[in-house]
Amino acid sequence: MIRFPPLGEMTVETFLRDYWQKKPVLIRGAFPQFESPLTPEELAGLACEEDVNARLVLETAGSKPWEVRHGPFSEEDFMALPEEGYSLLVTDCEKAIPELMGIVEKFRFIPDWRIDDLMISYAPAGGSVGAHIDQYDVFLLQGYGTRKWMIESQPREEVYIRGLDVRILQTFEPDQKWVLEPGDMLYLPPGIPHHGVALEPCMTFSIGFRAPRLTDIVGGVADMLIQRVDPDSLYTDPNLTPQDNPGMIGSEALATFREKIREALTADDDLLDRLIARVITDRRVDLTPFYPPNEVMEVASLRQLLADGLALMRTPAAHLALIENQSGAFLMVDGQETRLNHQTQALAEYLTSNVFYQGDTLLKLIEEEEAAVLLATLFGHGALMWQDSENYEGNNFSEEEDD
Ligand code: SIN
Ligand code: CO
């Protein structure tokens, strides 16, 4: 459990019961004395990096109103920007700067598999991306400067101005308005019309959530189930009888297929759980550049490096999850499953309940050979990475580091 969820005086229980997926809430001082771990210049620098997903929204300075340009950008792109009337948005920031997991980690009062990314935006005074609706839950943390947020507190239909690169609502009649200072945070469930206007140069940290599309889960599970069907097995009808209308697909043929389909899609709860978890934790291929390179790691070297004081963390792009059902416990990592046993269970619990891992704790957990091999394998696949001690010095965000 996260010890200090950024909910002010509110408990996690109250937040989940009264607000999560239900209604907006403003939390003043959610991150007391919040200081942005990166400057607007550093955000612009990030937006110039290959593989980083960055967008510039130009309100009037583009070739058309509300033009969107996609990164990576160059220094010249930033030099050519107007004084005002634009926003820079960079998604998946924590994948590119693993240190930012210290912020994302604070939101683990919601399960990891529901957390999508940390997007950071910058806007000069007056800048915004217009009034719009998002289909996902979001926490809008004011990172730097002040921003005025306006919302319509009830979800409603999305009707956007046609022909723009960005989705801007045709009408917007806010009934709630707040000015957010650094450390203040606004939670919005899906469907709430909102509009944030920078009152001075400002940065907003959006912790966004993902909700799997049900068709993706059902489709993904069905794809895996049908892999059990022999691809060489064809329909046979040695008992075919004459039929009056050759244009009919006969009831016997239909019955045969019905039976085959039911057979193919039949799975017990244990298997279904594992397949669902595989789909949910599947690797996002667009994030491959943010994994450390695959590296074979001998158990002995790993133990030595940990004993030398190096610490590991979860690769921010990696999806780790634990599932337990009647057939046992499984560690799911980027769509791959490992059945756990008495040697590996405690390690898997530590890896899934934390993001930053301490060397001495890991050393104790890998005394058993199978656990050591599991840790070395996960490291080798890039699901774990070294904590960069330079980056982490003075980091106020990671609880592990504070201990
Ligand atoms: C922004 O950071 O400019 C926009 C965030 C949002 O509205 O979701
Ligand atoms: Co939004």
Side-chain angles (χ1 to χ4, degrees):
M1 198 38 138
I2 294 299
R3 269 177 292 163
F4 304 108
L7 295 171
E9 299 290 298
M10 203 187 318
T11 64
V12 170
E13 287 74 13
T14 304
F15 173 76
L16 295 180
R17 188 194 60 213
D18 297 344
Y19 300 102
W20 174 251
Q21 295 241 299
K22 296 172 202 72
K23 58 182 184 197
V25 60
L26 175 75
I27 300 152
R28 291 270 177 218
F31 285 73
Q33 283 100 44
F34 185 80
E35 270 184 47
S36 173
L38 78 174
T39 61
E41 291 72 27
E42 285 166 335
L43 184 69
L46 188 61
C48 295
E49 281 180 25
E50 201 64 39
D51 304 315
V52 166
N53 186 353
R55 281 166 297 158
L56 269 169
V57 179
L58 297 167
E59 291 172 39
T60 53
S63 55
K64 58 175 183 172
W66 296 100
E67 184 185 285
V68 177
R69 292 186 191 157
H70 294 271
F73 299 109
S74 65
E75 217 179 308
E76 291 71 47
D77 291 327
F78 285 106
M79 303 290 270
L81 281 176
E83 287 282 301
E84 49 191 38
Y86 70 91
S87 290
L88 168 68
L89 305 128
V90 184
T91 60
D92 292 300
C93 287
E94 82 289 10
K95 278 77 168 191
I97 306 178
E99 180 186 357
L100 293 172
M101 277 306 285
I103 295 178
V104 177
E105 189 190 28
K106 296 284 186 195
F107 294 85
R108 297 184 75 231
F109 55 92
I110 306 293
D112 290 336
W113 68 272
R114 293 284 271 115
I115 301 178
D116 191 11
D117 79 320
L118 168 62
M119 175 178 90
I120 305 181
S121 71
Y122 169 80
S128 85
V129 295
H132 64 278
I133 292 174
D134 294 316
Q135 289 313 322
Y136 300 94
D137 306 81
V138 67
F139 287 93
L140 298 158
L141 165 64
Q142 192 58 31
Y144 170 86
T146 52
R147 179 168 225 143
K148 181 175 180 180
W149 279 103
M150 294 159 274
I151 66 163
E152 288 178 21
S153 22
Q154 295 302 320
R156 65 153 163 104
E157 214 198 332
E158 299 172 75
V159 185
Y160 291 110
I161 301 173
R162 285 166 179 268
L164 300 181
D165 290 352
V166 277
R167 295 169 316 145
I168 296 186
L169 289 167
Q170 275 185 13
T171 59
F172 179 62
E173 288 164 15
D175 52 42
Q176 284 190 283
K177 296 174 190 178
W178 305 273
V179 172
L180 270 68
E181 307 270 345
D184 293 344
M185 188 167 77
L186 177 62
Y187 163 74
L188 300 178
I192 297 289
H194 58 285
H195 186 200
V197 181
L199 297 182
E200 54 187 353
C202 89
M203 288 204 279
T204 297
F205 288 56
S206 301
I207 296 84
F209 289 78
R210 64 181 181 130
R213 202 167 284 283
L214 291 178
T215 51
D216 290 342
I217 303 295
V218 176
V221 168
D223 279 349
M224 286 191 280
L225 284 173
I226 62 171
Q227 283 169 22
R228 298 180 305 176
V229 179
D230 177 2
D232 295 326
S233 156
L234 303 180
Y235 173 75
T236 58
D237 51 4
N239 301 321
L240 186 65
T241 52
Q243 58 185 58
D244 291 341
N245 181 353
M248 274 184 83
I249 302 171
S251 53
E252 277 177 24
L254 290 173
T256 305
F257 284 122
R258 279 202 307 269
E259 192 190 327
K260 296 285 178 204
I261 289 165
R262 289 207 179 98
E263 205 178 287
L265 295 181
T266 297
D268 59 24
D269 286 356
D270 293 334
L271 177 60
L272 276 185
D273 287 349
R274 279 154 49 207
L275 299 185
I276 293 163
R278 276 201 221 169
V279 177
I280 286 178
T281 59
D282 217 356
R283 189 169 169 151
R284 254 178 68 187
V285 279
D286 61 316
L287 296 178
T288 300
F290 300 109
Y291 280 78
N294 287 4
E295 189 184 326
V296 178
M297 173 65 72
E298 301 296 336
V299 163
S301 326
L302 184 60
R303 284 203 174 104
Q304 188 57 54
L305 288 163
L306 292 171
D308 289 346
L310 285 188
L312 287 168
M313 68 175 287
R314 190 185 294 196
T315 300
H319 291 149
L320 267 70
L322 187 70
I323 63 161
E324 284 172 351
N325 62 27
Q326 282 185 337
S327 77
F330 297 84
L331 174 65
M332 317 299 301
V333 180
D334 287 347
Q336 306 282 326
E337 69 179 46
T338 304
R339 181 186 284 275
L340 299 170
N341 59 30
H342 66 280
Q343 289 202 18
T344 50
Q345 173 101 22
L347 173 66
E349 276 169 18
Y350 181 63
L351 294 179
T352 49
S353 51
N354 296 280
V355 170
F356 297 98
Y357 312 119
Q358 290 180 330
D360 50 355
T361 308
L362 285 173
L363 272 175
K364 280 191 211 106
L365 290 167
I366 61 169
E367 277 168 11
E368 300 279 7
E369 198 55 20
E370 268 193 58
V373 170
L374 175 60
L375 190 69
T377 308
L378 294 178
F379 180 87
H381 289 173
L384 307 174
M385 64 201 306
W386 297 115
Q387 283 185 34
D388 176 351
S389 48
E390 255 176 47
N391 276 352
Y392 287 87
E393 227 168 296
N395 171 2
N396 294 320
F397 298 113
S398 159
E399 288 177 15
E400 291 292 327
E401 291 288 307
D402 290 346
D403 283 347

